[in-house]
Amino acid sequence: MPDPPPQPAAGRARRRQPRVKSPLWAQAALVLVAHGSERVAAAETATASHAKALGRRALFREVKACFLKAVPGPRETVASLHSSSAYIVPCFMSRGYAARTLVPQELGLAGPLTRLSRGARQAAPLERVFYCDPVGTHPRLTEVIARHVEETCRVHDLDPAAVSVLLVGHGTPRDPVSGEAARRHAARLEERAGFARVRAAFLEEPPYLKDAAEGLGGRPTVAVGLFAEAGAHGEEDVPRLLGLGPAAGPPGRAAAGDGAARIWYAGPIGPDPEIAEIVLDQVRAFDERYRAGEAGA
């Protein structure tokens, strides 16, 4: 009988800390922005799931998800808000071109805090837009990645101290910033200790995933996808490049290679329920930086 796949959700639920409702949030909207895809229904994405989970907690007046490459889009979503202010949190794994340029252009943002003119507001009540940092840049994500590796090790009876870790990002040679978050999380995992070796690898910039996997020597390896969604990159491209094939099965179950040099793929990080907590951390960080002087901050 095959080993069961890792169950990260249970671990996340046990570690979740109680959240105090901020008075700054009660009359504000929270909008999660993701890439989206024409291939996957937006309602079925991890971002939509996080938005629904946060909405059930009634921390904000309204919570919505929108997508650059699917519907609903950012403009129509923001235009539909009933709140006078809105936090926009990019559900991207880096501060790359999409987070730095595309989203601000799409929404007409002037920086982290944008005050909308009456003409720009039209019939909507929205007056201020708060643009937060992307979820993938938060240091807390390093621990989420570490737990995915540790859970995969537990399921397969691997010693974490003898395991190499591959953190797989998208990357692009056209934007050096795109790979920064993956490299920083890899460096933090290395400093954290507990694993034999930690390396970042990418789909579209050096070090390429296939080359990095082949250069790890004879150790067992656990790969984790730094992707916000369980989409084509996280569920198809990474397993294929690792030699797992299209029928690899649930993340963490299948392995490529022989003997001690086998590679397990723990899957993309984006669907983890703790991403919703990181969204709140990014909102809280925005408040501390830009809204500290307001009542109740």
Side-chain angles (χ1 to χ4, degrees), residues 229-290:
E229 298 287 350
H233 292 316
E235 290 196 330
E236 298 174 17
D237 295 339
V238 173
R240 174 177 54 80
L241 291 169
L242 291 175
L244 294 172
R253 177 176 291 180
D258 300 312
R262 301 184 81 189
I263 299 177
W264 283 266
Y265 181 43
I269 204 75
D272 190 296
E274 195 162 346
I275 296 298
E277 300 301 318
I278 293 176
V279 167
L280 296 182
D281 283 348
Q282 295 295 45
V283 172
R284 188 172 290 104
F286 183 97
D287 285 345
E288 291 173 354
R289 182 176 300 178
Y290 298 103

Side-chain angles (χ1 to χ4, degrees):
M1 183 175 180
D3 292 329
Q7 300 294 326
R12 302 298 84 78
R14 285 194 298 270
R15 295 183 178 92
R16 178 177 293 173
Q17 298 297 317
R19 295 293 183 183
V20 177
K21 185 172 182 177
S22 167
L24 293 175
W25 301 353
Q27 298 302 315
L30 172 63
V31 179
L32 310 188
V33 184
H35 277 291
S37 168
E38 296 178 355
R39 297 176 53 188
V40 180
E44 299 174 1
T45 66
T47 301
S49 176
H50 298 322
K52 289 177 182 177
L54 289 167
R56 287 192 294 268
R57 294 166 68 177
L59 298 172
F60 301 85
R61 182 177 180 183
E62 50 192 324
V63 180
K64 297 188 177 185
C66 59
F67 308 89
L68 292 174
K69 296 183 178 180
V71 293
R75 289 185 190 178
E76 61 193 270
T77 298
V78 169
S80 71
L81 297 176
H82 302 287
S83 307
S84 61
S85 61
Y87 294 93
I88 311 294
V89 180
C91 287
F92 305 135
M93 289 293 115
S94 75
R95 194 177 281 107
Y97 180 71
R100 292 197 324 275
T101 304
L102 289 184
V103 174
Q105 284 181 349
E106 182 76 8
L107 295 177
L109 303 183
L113 197 161
T114 300
R115 297 181 184 274
L116 301 180
S117 66
R118 184 174 297 276
R121 287 157 52 192
Q122 297 179 349
L126 190 63
E127 297 177 357
R128 296 187 296 173
V129 178
F130 310 130
Y131 192 47
C132 305
D133 288 336
V135 295
T137 64
H138 198 286
R140 180 174 177 176
L141 190 65
T142 301
E143 289 303 314
V144 180
I145 295 166
R147 285 196 289 272
H148 277 252
V149 176
E150 291 164 351
E151 287 161 359
T152 300
C153 290
R154 175 182 54 78
V155 166
H156 297 286
D157 198 24
L158 302 172
D159 178 7
V163 164
S164 292
V165 177
L166 266 180
L167 184 54
V168 187
H170 187 279
T172 172
R174 298 188 299 273
D175 183 6
V177 177
S178 177
E180 279 186 2
R183 287 186 282 269
R184 286 177 181 172
H185 289 303
R188 290 190 189 107
L189 283 173
E190 192 92 83
E191 293 170 0
R192 177 184 182 273
F195 305 119
R197 191 177 184 185
V198 183
R199 293 291 180 271
F202 302 93
L203 298 182
E204 295 191 8
E205 72 174 74
Y208 293 103
L209 174 56
K210 189 172 182 181
D211 297 336
E214 291 174 352
L216 286 174
R219 293 190 186 94
T221 298
V222 176
V224 180
L226 194 62
F227 302 103
E229 298 287 350
H233 292 316
E235 290 196 330
E236 298 174 17
D237 295 339
V238 173
R240 174 177 54 80
L241 291 169
L242 291 175
L244 294 172
R253 177 176 291 180
D258 300 312
R262 301 184 81 189
I263 299 177
W264 283 266
Y265 181 43
I269 204 75
D272 190 296
E274 195 162 346
I275 296 298
E277 300 301 318
I278 293 176
V279 167
L280 296 182
D281 283 348
Q282 295 295 45
V283 172
R284 188 172 290 104
F286 183 97
D287 285 345
E288 291 173 354
R289 182 176 300 178
Y290 298 103
R291 306 189 68 189
E294 295 187 38

